[in-house]
Amino acid sequence: MANEIVKDTSVLLTEKRMFEPGNEVIEKANVKNWKAEREKGKDLEAYWGEKAENFHWFEKWNKVLDESEKPFYKWFTGGKTNITYNAVDRWINTAKRNQVAILYVNERGDEKKITYYELYKEVNKLANGLKRLGVKKGDRVGIYLPMSPELPVSLLACAKIGAMHSAVFAGFSEGALAERLNDAEAKILITADGTYRKGSVINLKNIADEAFLQCPIIETMIVVKHCGNEVNMSDLSGKDIWYDNLIEGEPSECEPEKMDAEDPLYILYTSGSTGKPKGVLHTTGGYMVGTATTLKTVFDIHDGDLWWCSADIGWVTGHSYIVYAPLVLGTTTVVYEGAPDYPDPGTWWKIIEKYGVTQFYTAPTAIRHLMRFGDKFPNRYDLSTLRLLGTVGEPINPEAWMWYYKNVGKEKLPIMDTWWQTETGTFMISPIPVSPLKPGSATKPLPGIEAEVVDKEGNRVPVGKGGHLIIKTPWPAMLRTLYKNPDRYVETYWNVIPGGVYTAGDIAREDEDGYFWIQGRSDDVLQIAGHRIGTSEVESAFVSHDAVAEAAVIGKPDPVRYETIKAFLILKEGKKLTPDLMTELKKQVRHELGALAVIGEMVQVDILPKTRSGKIMRRVLRAREKGEDEGDISTLVE
Ligand code: WT7
């Protein structure tokens, strides 16, 4: 809930530097006039209607935006399309047929180049294989795959036949995986023998098997042979089938399902402040128009570019900007599997040099991590093919921005600091190449997006003051609902601040030039190394250990990861938080949630601050942590 404003937001950052784009950038830019484009974007229907003309539709839409059942907005109603047709099929009768669509590289130095024509055949074979297993339009297919070529292929195959994919990041543990698969009621799970990480192989099939035991609905598990490590096949119920066997002999042609613009495309789970993860639902037409348009505008995609987004496809960044948008634009997209610092911290720069990457998009946490190894690694490689840089996931501190700008961008390349969310589907607040930049600011809302910083009543706050970030008008790639939970959708996003506006759950402020500075979450959600984790999920992981009676969790500032977990624990009678118990608890949380739940500190306490109704007041813990006044506690009691 957007229930609090970070206290010290009245002081503007002292950051005053401004960076203007060079002529080369301006000359090449797809959009040359920031202000004019933002003006154009004010007429939502005209702007997005014009953008939608760039794609293939089996039938044209009747209406660009239907607001009759808001906040259940609809886009391009009456339109029929297929996003895989747009991403793959439509290129195979053009000069792009033999162009590389996906460039797979891993930390071991292996590579695989898949042309559009090869991708077309592979996607169709899997689509036909899925159909043979009984998958139909509207069914949910779970995906738990490493960053192997089969991951984008699986997404595209589902979309081709109208099945909804629900991918789960392969760093999640079996408990988190099972919870998501059960909520999505997936009958099929596509997984793999393993994934490469820092020189070792993690056996994903074992984790999937553990999850399977908690997933009564899963009937079949399709297993990709990726690392060639040993796995147990069908040791549980005869459910397993090798991916290669499934697609063998399947035809390499498959009719695309003619999808309504508003037919669901996928579910992707994200953490909220309370309760279970939320199943964010994205639909077909608006998502396609929104993702491809924003990628072209912000990262200035041109024919011949080599685009690299270093995220994992298991998150929205990868769905939108490794798979769908770049392929819909007919560009070449890099899929990298492995760590940024293995075999050494020059791995990424080496890949940029070797293949000639033109735009590189990563997370502040990765930049801060690589910064620690010094300038020598990026400076060892020729990075001159790069034209644009980008970041996403959390606020970027000006120091990391400057390091990226100097050492990777050689003080020439603009950095696109893109603010967005799983729910928004696309970039929302972001510069475009021609924008003057301020290190640490995501600049302004993109054309066609209206954002504001307001107080709890919905009134715009004065320049420089902290407030809630809201989006005032609908946008094509917006989430349409939370899967099986429309009430929670309305409650979480639309009923927080009056005025029928979308509440992002972030605190931000606007400066005198109308630039937005994102401050972080306003709710009980942690951002650990760019991954969003709900405090309640972590707390229940702690409490699932025998020794723990109660737990409260807050974010602990971290120089690299942005935040880690700080846990306040009430232990059961007679228990002490010994080093051994701490090790056990770390293991437990990791087991429940996965390695992304990084614990920075644990303390044993006797009581936790609570409201009268028994809710833990994390804000009091946070205030104490910062040594701030706890505020008038009585007003916090409900
Ligand atoms: C939250 C959304 C969308 C892809 C990655 C995360 C934070 C995201 C920025 C940015 C400051 C940012 C926000 C947001 N965030 N980008 N450029 N500057 N904060 O997706 O897991 O849905 O998390 O990430 O707090 O609400 P997500």
Side-chain angles (χ1 to χ4, degrees):
M1 281 281 129
N3 55 4
E4 100 189 63
I5 303 277
V6 178
K7 290 226 170 79
D8 186 26
T9 50
S10 54
V11 203
L12 267 177
L13 271 188
T14 45
E15 183 55 65
K16 292 281 178 219
R17 284 171 289 194
M18 180 87 115
F19 294 82
E20 303 277 349
N23 282 340
E24 277 172 42
V25 173
I26 298 173
E27 269 160 35
K28 190 137 193 178
N30 280 323
V31 175
K32 298 212 192 302
N33 189 328
W34 197 22
K35 195 163 176 225
E37 189 77 2
R38 293 180 71 239
E39 258 332 289
K40 233 172 96 183
K42 287 191 174 150
D43 185 342
L44 293 182
E45 294 210 55
Y47 181 77
W48 292 112
E50 187 191 310
K51 299 294 178 193
E53 301 279 357
N54 294 329
F55 310 97
H56 172 272
W57 299 81
F58 298 110
E59 277 172 43
K60 202 180 161 171
W61 57 91
N62 315 314
K63 188 144 180 47
V64 174
L65 170 62
D66 175 355
E67 304 192 85
S68 58
E69 290 167 52
K70 63 183 177 194
F72 297 92
Y73 293 94
K74 297 191 193 84
W75 284 87
F76 307 109
T77 43
K80 286 200 182 297
T81 186
N82 183 290
I83 195 166
T84 300
Y85 183 92
N86 273 276
V88 186
D89 303 28
R90 76 173 162 141
W91 302 124
I92 64 157
N93 295 321
T94 71
K96 290 187 193 284
R97 177 189 178 90
N98 298 320
Q99 179 198 306
V100 175
I102 293 173
L103 169 61
Y104 164 80
V105 226
N106 65 26
E107 59 175 30
R108 296 153 36 108
D110 306 329
E111 65 167 44
K112 190 171 177 192
K113 293 178 175 169
I114 304 167
T115 65
Y116 273 97
Y117 184 52
E118 287 163 343
L119 182 62
Y120 171 80
K121 290 187 289 186
E122 181 84 8
V123 166
N124 287 344
K125 283 178 169 227
L126 179 58
N128 288 324
L130 289 171
K131 276 192 188 169
R132 189 155 55 82
L133 292 176
V135 178
K136 291 190 211 54
K137 182 179 175 186
D139 287 350
R140 277 82 50 211
V141 175
I143 296 175
Y144 185 66
L145 282 174
M147 285 287 282
S148 65
E150 290 80 5
L151 176 49
V153 167
S154 297
L155 264 50
L156 293 162
C158 289
K160 182 114 197 208
I161 62 174
M164 296 153 75
H165 51 78
S166 188
V168 178
F169 171 56
F172 274 118
S173 64
E174 60 266 24
L177 172 61
E179 182 172 32
R180 287 158 177 77
L181 293 173
N182 282 333
D183 190 77
E185 295 169 301
K187 279 192 293 193
I188 307 260
L189 177 64
I190 309 179
T191 188
D193 53 2
T195 183
Y196 300 112
R197 188 81 186 173
K198 291 208 176 204
S200 60
V201 170
I202 299 164
N203 188 324
L204 293 179
K205 174 68 166 52
N206 280 350
I207 304 173
D209 278 344
E210 290 290 325
F212 173 77
L213 297 173
Q214 306 164 45
C215 294
I217 306 166
I218 301 264
E219 291 164 4
T220 309
M221 217 142 97
I222 303 166
V223 186
V224 173
K225 196 174 274 180
H226 178 59
C227 298
N229 54 314
E230 284 243 339
V231 292
N232 286 330
M233 290 293 280
S234 293
D235 56 330
L236 296 160
S237 64
K239 68 183 191 307
D240 296 336
I241 173 168
W242 286 111
Y243 174 97
D244 288 341
N245 294 348
L246 176 74
I247 66 168
E248 196 189 322
E250 287 295 341
S252 51
E253 298 289 325
C254 172
E255 268 302 297
E257 187 73 37
K258 293 191 169 74
M259 303 287 279
D260 257 24
E262 282 299 336
D263 276 337
L265 175 63
Y266 69 79
I267 307 167
L268 187 59
Y269 287 85
T270 188
S271 294
S273 35
T274 52
K276 293 201 306 180
K278 301 179 284 195
V280 168
L281 184 108
H282 283 291
T283 60
T284 306
Y287 181 81
M288 171 176 79
V289 173
T291 51
T293 302
T294 50
L295 182 64
K296 189 168 177 180
T297 309
V298 173
F299 282 99
D300 208 32
I301 303 291
H302 291 273
D303 278 352
D305 280 351
L306 180 57
W307 158 252
W308 183 12
C309 162
S310 78
D312 193 289
I313 296 174
W315 305 108
V316 75
T317 313
H319 279 57
S320 295
Y321 296 112
I322 298 178
V323 183
Y324 288 116
L327 297 176
V328 167
L329 294 175
T331 192
T332 304
T333 183
V334 175
V335 171
Y336 172 75
E337 179 186 17
D341 56 357
Y342 185 86
D344 68 50
T347 305
W348 281 3
W349 321 127
K350 190 173 170 182
I351 291 171
I352 292 173
E353 175 184 273
K354 178 165 182 193
Y355 298 100
V357 171
T358 46
Q359 295 99 333
F360 179 63
Y361 182 42
T362 191
T365 184
I367 296 167
R368 289 193 296 265
H369 178 68
L370 293 174
M371 246 171 100
R372 293 193 308 179
F373 301 99
D375 304 355
K376 63 175 189 284
F377 286 101
N379 291 327
R380 202 174 278 171
Y381 298 94
D382 176 3
L383 306 178
S384 61
T385 51
L386 286 171
R387 293 203 326 267
L388 285 166
L389 303 175
T391 70
V392 62
E394 71 216 51
I396 180 162
N397 48 314
E399 198 196 345
W401 197 99
M402 288 307 301
W403 186 85
Y404 195 30
Y405 186 69
K406 277 201 184 120
N407 292 289
V408 186
K410 311 299 175 198
E411 299 188 24
K412 279 207 300 252
L413 309 187
I415 299 175
M416 305 294 106
D417 176 355
T418 61
W419 176 88
W420 59 297
Q421 309 177 292
T422 307
E423 293 88 340
T424 68
T426 46
F427 311 145
M428 300 295 281
I429 302 178
S430 167
I432 65 173
V434 296
S435 315
L437 303 173
K438 301 186 189 188
S441 167
T443 75
K444 301 188 183 201
L446 283 174
I449 306 296
E450 270 194 62
E452 219 167 70
V453 182
V454 300
D455 63 19
K456 257 172 145 173
E457 281 70 49
N459 304 310
R460 195 166 182 169
V461 299
V463 162
K465 276 211 98 168
H468 298 283
L469 178 61
I470 58 156
I471 313 292
K472 290 174 74 179
T473 48
W475 64 100
M478 64 198 294
L479 80 164
R480 297 304 196 262
T481 190
L482 293 176
Y483 187 58
K484 295 192 300 194
N485 209 339
D487 293 344
R488 193 173 175 196
Y489 165 72
V490 177
E491 283 292 302
T492 313
Y493 305 105
W494 301 95
N495 279 358
V496 183
I497 286 168
V501 295
Y502 171 88
T503 305
D506 276 1
I507 296 294
R509 54 203 170 76
E510 236 185 283
D511 70 14
E512 64 280 8
D513 298 324
Y515 276 50
F516 284 69
W517 299 79
I518 312 294
Q519 311 277 285
R521 301 287 308 182
S522 64
D523 55 11
D524 290 323
V525 170
L526 308 178
Q527 287 286 127
I528 304 177
H531 300 147
R532 187 161 141 186
I533 299 187
T535 45
S536 62
E537 288 167 86
V538 182
E539 287 160 3
S540 60
F542 271 113
V543 175
S544 69
H545 190 284
D546 271 353
V548 181
E550 271 190 83
V553 157
I554 61 170
K556 176 184 165 77
D558 184 271
V560 173
R561 295 185 177 93
Y562 185 67
E563 278 183 332
T564 58
I565 293 163
K566 172 154 186 177
F568 298 85
L569 305 169
I570 302 183
L571 299 182
K572 294 208 180 130
E573 212 39 55
K575 297 274 179 198
K576 278 253 149 7
L577 192 58
T578 58
D580 279 354
L581 181 56
M582 286 200 215
T583 310
E584 259 184 59
L585 290 171
K586 277 192 180 167
K587 255 171 80 184
Q588 177 78 6
V589 171
R590 202 186 161 103
H591 175 77
E592 295 284 318
L593 290 168
L596 61 171
V598 182
I599 299 171
E601 192 180 344
M602 286 179 259
V603 286
Q604 183 170 2
V605 294
D606 296 329
I607 46 162
L608 288 169
K610 287 194 188 151
T611 61
R612 247 179 242 141
S613 61
K615 279 206 250 160
I616 297 168
M617 292 190 289
R618 296 185 192 84
R619 76 173 96 176
V620 173
L621 295 171
R622 277 195 293 260
R624 276 184 201 160
E625 228 17 56
K626 289 190 195 150
E628 286 168 0
D629 172 18
E630 287 167 26
D632 181 1
I633 303 292
S634 63
T635 61
L636 302 177
V637 175
E638 284 162 6

